[in-house]
């Protein structure tokens, strides 16, 4: 008998049983989960929950456990549970992260404290109003090829390789959350923020896009306010080098158009002053 | 009772869903001059489509010059075991080529061939290298591209984080929908000339699924409630490779691109078992075959430690793995602490896709209810008994466009007619929605926890209506669903209407119960094994059942299942089947192609 025949025969006798290997993975430990609960104006408070630890558990699993078993109205966002959609952003022990990618066994011992993103207005519990980001996105003109350039196109891989990094962005808005310019009320409505500098870069460097996107990014987008602190790059779960590979190249293109490029770049490379200092604000 | 206050939104066309299908429909309707409202349960850009990994199947012939729409047609029909609506497949295979180039024209990026054209990769049961892709994050690229296009299309407005819970009817025609804003709990009524469903599938009634929380079958359930036919509901796709460990990650998809790029499957004895189950297509056999093979290996005691098989890519080399499968590398690293360049992955079947759905007209996506259209995963017919990988991202573009354009036509032709909203329907739905929040007399009744009911339903569907089924298990499932439905009438949640996930889950549970019942009832009727339907008590295909689709329809409070005869493939398309590399006259799926001449014209069912 071949394996196929053998297994077919066996299968006939199996009946519809669940597959093997469904151990619960409970480790016997308990997670001390503390979630900031509340609505705007209602003085949100940290609520403590005891969650049974499971092998490989991520923070989002723990929040789901609470929803299912302890507190059905605890609000959070999530979709993919696989770090692909950028919905489950929160601050865990003070760090902006994706809850679905943050393993509890990799956090320091002690309570796991989960707060909503600070930069955006609170809606309830772990959910904030991120609509400002969608407004910014609409301000960025769409991809625009030359009129009549209809394709199918021949594009060489080498000419798009560097776009891949920008295109990885899952719009988790963690970079927007940590950027101090976004956090300042004074600039927030004049500043696109790191996510959208990445977006502009991905369009600007597309070999078929013909718009000049640099001017608008400086005027409406406030590129000049960014002083290259790199906080955004540090939190990006997609490991996009936001500052080095999106913001600085845009600043350089901007510089090419508005200053003596050699002086500017030279100065930048020597690190004499951050490329994005107040001098651009007058434009 | 007087209605609770609600906001009114007036548009020509309402699109329910902002995945690929919904967005493509909205663009089409807005470009036709309609005002369009797009509703989504999540934020824009987070719909299920974003998770798609492997690629879009299209017969571009860029890598294998022998490929063409004709071969794509043949592969899709054979993969679907000839239960597909052939006209849909024909339109699809034709038009998906244009849709891919359109995406590129709208700024979508694809991997390139050495001569600069769109690169294509191999996928299960496709004759040639056919999937246009960007590494393993094709869905993200697709959704961003459509999002960019849609938000810049005048006339299309997006309403994020709303749930629509019922269609409103004016006589026999759909005239709008009602639902609520998830964030503040306010009710909303949309008045419109036509509705397009682009609301995706229903994996969440199973315990192990690659689907997000959104996939609760809302669109199909509310269409059914409004009187629309559901088609082929028994066909639910198990993707062969989901993660199996750790427990929290169980079900998360491991893209077929892993095997497309050359990944191999082994059992615990180190045997490459697919060589035996399908010596021709091997690891790249169709999904139903690979999923069952893994299941059988595990059952036979040759599974991996956590009840799966080993999927190995180490021979590809670290550089290629990180370039072609970057998100898989990252996913196993982050969630399972596994370095796939050094260790094999553990994988097992996970619920992934729903072939069945709202019954539609091939050309227009019109459902059996006037004014209601559907496209994408929520619609049935294109994939027959089994979907080939890559055919869904194409589906949502081709039929999203068609449904959006047809809905726009319908709405325009009725622009002058008054848009009537029946307050009775509104009030009735509001009452039903508010019931779980109402704490009963003296507020004491503890009631049922919706999450617990959901978990129980998942256990029922996973165990009794899962990858393998029998009369006995399905009857058990049906009884359990009926009991759960009775208990669901007593669901209670704490908290108010402001962003209350427990409250939201109540509605999801009732939708999932409807859809589960349809799955089970159709699976009972199909007393054969075909495509994704594997009946332990009917292991073979039946010639008679190969000539019918099952349709579920609402009849008062009861669900009726009816066999409707398939329209056999017309003569002009028959020769195309032979173009598939997997065409074997001796092994044709049983049905109208194999029926003895005397019975060929017979209408079954
Ligand atoms: C992990 C994964 C990988 C995949 N990979 C591939 C692949 O490589 N190739 C391929 O072809 N296919 C793939 N698929 C399948 C494919 O992604 C989906 O079938 C397809 O994206 C479905 O698109 P859609 O537009 O029909 O629905 P979805 O993208 O699911 O969108 C549904 C939309 O409807 C909205 N909605 C639902 N209900 C309501 C309601 N009640 N009120 C308001 N809005 C509502 C949702 O919010 C959402 O916006 C994959 C699927 C998964 C899960
Ligand atoms: S580098 Fe610029 S954009 Fe990034 S966080 Fe700092 S100021 Fe903000
Ligand atoms: S750039 Fe990175 S951190 Fe910012 S939104 Fe995109 S993925 Fe998130
Ligand atoms: S749920 Fe999608 S990124 Fe976390």
């Amino acid at each position: 008998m071949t394996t196929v025949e053998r297994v077919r025969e066996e299968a006939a006798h199996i009946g519809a049983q669940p597959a093997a290997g469904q151990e619960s993975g409970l480790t016997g430990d308990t997670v001390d989960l503390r979630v900031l609960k509340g609505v705007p104006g209602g003085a949100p408070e940290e609520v403590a929950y005891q969650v049974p630890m499971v092998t490989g558990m991520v923070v989002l699993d723990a929040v789901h456990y609470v929803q299912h078993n302890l507190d059905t109205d605890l609000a959070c966002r999530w979709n993919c549970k696989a770090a692909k959609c950028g919905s489950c952003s929160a601050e865990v022990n003070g760090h902006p992260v994706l809850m679905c990618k943050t393993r509890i066994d990799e956090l320091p011992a002690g309570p796991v404290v989960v707060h909503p993103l600070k930069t955006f207005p609170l809606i309830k519990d772990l959910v904030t109003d991120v609509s400002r980001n969608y407004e910014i996105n609409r301000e960025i003109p769409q991809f625009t090829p030359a009129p009549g350039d209809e394709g199918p196109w021949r594009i060489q891989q080498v000419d798009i390789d560097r776009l891949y990094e920008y295109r990885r962005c899952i719009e988790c808005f963690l970079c927007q959350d940590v950027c101090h310019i976004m956090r300042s009320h004074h600039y927030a409505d004049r500043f696109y923020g790191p996510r959208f500098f990445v977006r502009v870069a991905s369009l600007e460097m597309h070999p078929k896009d013909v718009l000049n996107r640099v001017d608008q990014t400086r005027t409406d987008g406030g590129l000049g306010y960014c002083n290259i602190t790199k906080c955004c790059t540090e939190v990006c779960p997609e490991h996009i080098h936001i500052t080095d590979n999106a913001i600085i190249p845009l600043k350089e293109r901007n510089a090419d158009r508005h200053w003596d490029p050699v002086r500017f770049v030279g100065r930048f490379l020597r690190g004499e002053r951050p490329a994005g200092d107040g001098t651009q604000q007058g434009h | 009772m007087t209605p609770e206050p609600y906001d009114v939104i007036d548009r020509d066309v309402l699109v329910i869903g902002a995945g690929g299908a919904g967005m493509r429909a909205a663009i089409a309707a807005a470009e036709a001059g309609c005002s369009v409202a797009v509703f989504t349960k999540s934020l824009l850009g987070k719909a299920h489509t974003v998770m798609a990994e492997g690629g879009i199947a299209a017969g571009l012939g860029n890598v294998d010059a022998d490929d063409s729409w004709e071969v794509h047609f043949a592969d899709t029909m054979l993969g679907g075991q000839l239960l597909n609506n052939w006209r849909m497949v024909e339109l699809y295979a034709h038009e998906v080529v244009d849709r891919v180039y359109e995406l590129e024209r709208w700024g979508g990026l694809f991997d390139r061939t050495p001569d600069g054209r769109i690169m294509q990769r191999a996928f299960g049961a496709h004759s040639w290298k056919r999937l246009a892709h960007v590494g393993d994050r094709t869905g993200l690229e697709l959704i961003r591209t459509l999002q960019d296009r849609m938000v810049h299309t005048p006339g299309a407005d997006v309403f994020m984080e709303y749930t629509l819970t019922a269609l409103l009817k004016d006589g026999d025609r759909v005239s709008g929908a009602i639902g609520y804003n998830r964030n503040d709990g306010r009710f909303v009524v949309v008045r419109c000339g036509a509705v397009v469903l682009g609301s995706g599938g229903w994996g969440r009634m199973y315990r192990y699924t690659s689907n997000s929380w959104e996939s609760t079958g809302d669109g199909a359930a509310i269409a059914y409630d409004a009187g629309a036919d559901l088609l082929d509901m028994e066909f639910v796709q198990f993707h062969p490779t989901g993660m199996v460990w750790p427990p929290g990650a169980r079900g998360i998809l491991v893209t077929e691109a892993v095997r497309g790029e050359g990944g191999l499957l082994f059992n615990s004895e180190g045997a490459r078992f697919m060589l035996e189950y399908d010596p021709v297509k091997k690891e790249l056999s169709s999904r139903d075959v690979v999923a069952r093979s893994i299941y059988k290996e595990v059952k036979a005691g040759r599974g991996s430690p956590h009840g799966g098989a080993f999927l190995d890519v180490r021979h590809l080399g670290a550089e290629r793995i990180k370039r072609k499968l970057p998100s898989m590398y990252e996913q196993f690293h982050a969630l399972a602490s596994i370095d796939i360049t050094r260790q094999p992955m553990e994988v097992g079947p996970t619920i992934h896709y729903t072939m069945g759905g709202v019954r539609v007209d091939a050309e227009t996506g019109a459902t059996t209810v006037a004014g209601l259209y559907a496209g994408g995963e929520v619609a049935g017919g294109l994939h027959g008994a089994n979907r080939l990988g890559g055919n869904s991202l194409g589906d949502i573009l081709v039929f999203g466009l068609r449904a959006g354009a047809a809905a726009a036509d319908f709405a325009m032709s009725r622009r002058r007619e008054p848009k009537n909203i029946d307050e009775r329907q509104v009030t009735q739905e509001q009452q039903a929605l508010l019931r779980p929040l109402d704490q009963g007399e003296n507020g004491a009744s503890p009631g049922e926890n919706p999450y617990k009911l959901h978990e129980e339903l998942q256990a029922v569907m996973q165990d009794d209506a899962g990858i393998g089924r029998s009369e006995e298990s399905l009857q058990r499932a049906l009884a359990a669903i009926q009991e759960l439905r009775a208990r669901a009438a007593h669901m209670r949640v704490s908290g108010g209407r402001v962003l209350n996930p427990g409250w939201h889950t109540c509605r999801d549970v009732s939708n999932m119960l409807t859809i589960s019942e349809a799955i089970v009832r159709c699976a009972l009727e199909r007393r054969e094994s075909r495509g994704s339907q594997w009946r332990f008590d009917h292991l073979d295909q039946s010639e008679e059942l190969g000539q019918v689709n099952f349709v579920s329809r609402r009849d008062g409070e009861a669900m009726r299942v009816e066999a409707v005869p398939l329209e056999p493939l017309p003569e002009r398309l028959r020769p195309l089947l032979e173009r598939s590399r997997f065409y074997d006259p001796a092994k044709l799926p049983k049905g109208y192609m194999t029926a003895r001449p005397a019975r060929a014209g017979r209408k079954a069912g």
Side-chain angles (χ1 to χ4, degrees), chain A residues 69 77-78 84 164 167, chain B residues 111 141 161 213 331 452:
Chain A
N69 298 284
R77 280 198 186 100
W78 71 283
K84 293 198 171 66
Y164 279 53
R167 298 284 176 145
Chain B
D111 285 2
E141 188 67 25
E161 303 194 307
W213 67 268
Q331 181 173 311
K452 292 292 157 197

Side-chain angles (χ1 to χ4, degrees), chain B residues 491-520:
Chain B
M491 285 187 286
R492 289 286 179 279
V493 289
S494 59
R497 276 158 66 183
V498 173
L499 192 46
N500 181 347
W503 180 46
H504 300 164
T505 302
C506 294
R507 188 56 192 207
D508 297 347
V509 167
S510 51
N511 287 337
M512 286 188 283
L513 284 168
T514 303
I515 300 298
S516 299
E517 182 177 342
I519 294 173
V520 169

Side-chain angles (χ1 to χ4, degrees), chain B residues 73 88 93 128 193 201 289 310 321 341 397 509-510 518 534 536 573:
Chain B
F73 171 88
M88 281 177 93
W128 304 108
V289 173
F310 293 109
I321 293 170
T341 66
L397 296 172
V509 167
S510 51
W534 185 26
F536 293 135
L573 292 174

